[in-house]
Amino acid sequence: MQFRECNEIDDKQAENIMRELGVKWAVETVELKKIDWMLSSQNHGRVNNLTPEQFDKLMADKRRGDQFPRCIFAKMPSGKYMIVSGCNRSKADREIGATRCTAYVIKFDPLECQCVAQRCNAIHGHGLSIKDQLRLAVDMVDGHGLQIKDVARTMALDVAQLTRMCHVSRATAQLLACNVSQAAINAIPDTTRQYLHQLRTKPEAMKAMAEAIAGYKIGNEEARSLIQMAAATESKELWQDKLKEFLANKRSLKSLNKKKKSKIISAATTIASWDYNKETLTKAELETLANLLPRVKSSLQTLQALVN
């Protein structure tokens, strides 16, 4: 088909967004054959794409010569261009036989490109949910090595929330690397999974803790305590022994009905609160009680957690 040039106009809203983000641009004529289409499809911040009917209408409007806002491209070091805003408009241009267009051209910066894409798609399309924004922000941090606080500030996200999401993402990747099954990973809530990141330097402990938490449906606070214990314990045998002891209690109490558990708690509470007259006890009896009471109190806490 013979050369056709697209009919673009200034996009004042997009210019205001780039100006607000501190992104500099220049209006240039770009050959469509220099666009990296695969990379462009991964960057744009749209939740759902156009339907075939909507895309056909877009092409018909462009064939008629209707004016559309200028797209935004990022020029990469290779000389290729990535579409930051205007994927569908650019694809429609290509389909109707256009070979070049005028566009806003910015430098290639992963964070800037993603932020501009998100903000502009709130105008030209459907904006991303907070969940999707956090997912993309995590990719900016882990995929491009950017600082959490910088990404959070630029994308207007909560630093603490983004930090938690990064820890969840990293823990998930580390669990997969430790050969923990996807089913086990899915059984661990994000609120618990984020703490497993503390065991990143202890893959064996991470795997054991994750499988125990998933298999026994251990609650968030108990799981957090176990993870912190393993993270602070240098001896492999020690954290393994403590985990085995904890799981043994879980297994032995699992078969008890709620009524019997309540009786045990009542008895343990009584023993733990006894006020002994030390003058009437022998030295051997005092030593026995000194060893007994801490264990009773520890068991009491475990039992109460199970019943509640």
Side-chain angles (χ1 to χ4, degrees):
M1 185 178 289
Q2 206 171 18
F3 164 76
R4 296 180 60 185
E5 188 162 357
C6 310
N7 191 9
E8 296 96 359
I9 57 174
D10 291 346
D11 188 338
K12 296 301 181 185
Q13 286 179 296
E15 289 180 10
N16 288 337
I17 287 171
M18 290 190 288
R19 196 174 289 114
E20 182 184 329
L21 292 171
V23 176
K24 296 181 180 180
W25 73 88
V27 176
E28 299 178 11
T29 299
V30 178
E31 293 184 26
L32 297 182
K33 67 181 181 181
K34 291 186 177 181
I35 292 176
D36 187 326
W37 295 99
M38 183 173 292
L39 186 62
S40 298
S41 66
Q42 297 169 0
N43 180 76
H44 66 92
R46 187 183 293 276
V47 176
N48 53 347
N49 215 330
L50 296 183
T51 64
E53 293 76 17
Q54 290 171 325
F55 189 73
D56 287 343
K57 183 180 184 306
L58 177 60
M59 288 194 295
D61 292 343
K62 280 189 166 285
R63 285 194 187 97
R64 191 170 53 241
D66 289 2
Q67 292 182 317
F68 283 84
R70 194 170 284 124
C71 299
I72 304 174
F73 298 162
K75 188 170 185 178
M76 298 184 291
S78 64
K80 289 272 192 178
Y81 292 84
M82 180 183 75
I83 302 170
V84 176
S85 177
C87 249
N88 287 309
R89 283 170 280 161
S90 299
K91 286 178 181 177
D93 291 336
R94 182 183 61 178
E95 292 298 316
I96 66 173
T99 57
R100 66 184 187 184
C101 67
T102 57
Y104 296 109
V105 177
I106 65 176
K107 71 175 183 178
F108 178 71
D109 177 279
L111 179 57
E112 285 187 356
C113 290
Q114 189 58 64
C115 290
V116 172
Q118 285 190 50
R119 295 286 297 279
C120 286
N121 270 288
I123 305 169
H124 306 300
H126 301 282
L128 295 178
S129 65
I130 290 295
K131 184 178 179 180
D132 287 326
Q133 288 182 44
L134 284 166
R135 177 180 54 79
L136 289 169
V138 169
D139 182 62
M140 290 294 101
V141 174
D142 290 343
H144 298 279
L146 301 173
Q147 295 296 314
I148 290 177
K149 58 181 177 56
D150 294 335
V151 174
R153 183 182 66 251
T154 308
M155 297 179 71
L157 296 170
D158 180 69
V159 175
Q161 193 175 14
L162 178 54
T163 300
R164 286 194 297 272
M165 287 294 293
C166 285
H167 287 173
V168 170
S169 175
R170 292 166 188 172
T172 302
Q174 288 159 346
L175 289 169
L176 288 170
C178 292
N179 296 318
V180 177
S181 70
Q182 188 65 59
I185 294 173
N186 293 341
I188 305 173
D190 286 354
T191 50
T192 299
R193 206 184 309 174
Q194 63 175 316
Y195 299 125
L196 284 164
H197 181 63
Q198 298 176 42
L199 299 174
R200 58 191 178 277
T201 60
K202 297 180 177 180
E204 191 173 358
M206 176 180 274
K207 178 179 172 67
M209 292 293 167
E211 291 177 343
I213 291 165
Y216 287 84
K217 295 183 172 62
I218 298 172
N220 188 57
E221 288 307 312
E222 281 188 309
R224 184 179 183 181
S225 297
L226 280 172
I227 292 165
Q228 289 176 337
M229 176 275 295
T233 304
E234 293 301 324
S235 169
K236 171 184 169 182
E237 290 73 19
L238 186 55
W239 68 255
Q240 285 181 331
D241 288 344
K242 287 183 178 294
L243 178 60
K244 285 177 183 176
E245 182 181 354
F246 178 85
L247 295 181
N249 286 334
K250 283 282 188 185
R251 283 191 290 269
S252 63
L253 295 168
K254 197 173 182 181
S255 60
L256 297 177
N257 58 38
K258 191 168 183 177
K259 186 176 180 181
K260 193 165 184 180
K261 287 177 186 175
S262 297
K263 287 183 177 178
I264 293 173
I265 288 177
S266 178
T269 304
T270 301
I271 294 170
S273 62
W274 278 347
D275 183 17
Y276 294 102
N277 184 349
K278 295 182 181 180
E279 294 179 359
T280 65
L281 297 174
T282 66
K283 183 178 180 181
E285 288 172 329
L286 284 171
E287 289 176 351
T288 300
L289 285 170
N291 291 327
L292 172 64
L293 289 177
R295 290 202 297 273
V296 170
K297 289 178 180 178
S298 176
S299 299
L300 174 61
Q301 291 172 352
T302 302
L303 285 163
Q304 285 175 325
L306 283 169
V307 172
N308 296 334

